[in-house]
Amino acid sequence: MENFQHWFQGVNSITSLDETPHGVVGKTYLEAVDVPIKGRQNIKLKVVECIQPTNFVTEGKFPPVLPRMEIELSEKNEY
């Protein structure tokens, strides 16, 4: 998650909020994002599913939006 800001425009940083190991359900993060009109805002994210090494899901609280991110990883196919 700490590299997330390198992949998505508008994400300024993501920091761990607890000592739970990465990739464990319940791990929490704080995401700083740029929101139109409101400026920089913080969103608390929680890992709600992790099936290593293929699936990773987080949910956040940012009323009125409840963001959910689902990542599915697979091997790169060589062409």
Side-chain angles (χ1 to χ4, degrees), residues 12 15 17 19 22 25-26 28-29 45 49 53 60 62 65 67 73-74:
N12 295 295
T15 55
L17 289 179
E19 299 296 321
H22 298 290
V25 172
T28 56
Y29 297 91
L45 302 174
E49 181 180 332
F62 191 63
V65 179
L73 304 168
S74 61

Side-chain angles (χ1 to χ4, degrees), residues 4-72:
F4 196 67
Q5 70 264 18
H6 301 292
W7 305 329
F8 293 94
Q9 184 178 1
V11 175
N12 295 295
S13 66
I14 294 192
T15 55
S16 175
L17 289 179
D18 58 37
E19 299 296 321
T20 305
H22 298 290
V24 174
V25 172
K27 174 78 177 164
T28 56
Y29 297 91
L30 189 65
E31 176 183 37
V33 297
D34 290 328
V35 177
I37 302 171
K38 291 186 174 188
R40 187 165 293 179
Q41 301 288 306
N42 291 317
I43 302 172
K44 187 175 178 182
L45 302 174
K46 185 175 190 176
V47 176
V48 295
E49 181 180 332
C50 186
I51 303 170
Q52 293 187 21
T54 59
N55 295 77
F56 185 74
V57 180
T58 63
E59 291 181 348
K61 293 183 179 179
F62 191 63
V65 179
L66 299 174
R68 179 178 171 94
M69 175 184 69
E70 298 182 20
I71 297 175
E72 183 177 336

Side-chain angles (χ1 to χ4, degrees), residues 75-79:
E75 291 185 32
K76 181 180 176 183
N77 292 325
E78 297 293 329
Y79 295 97

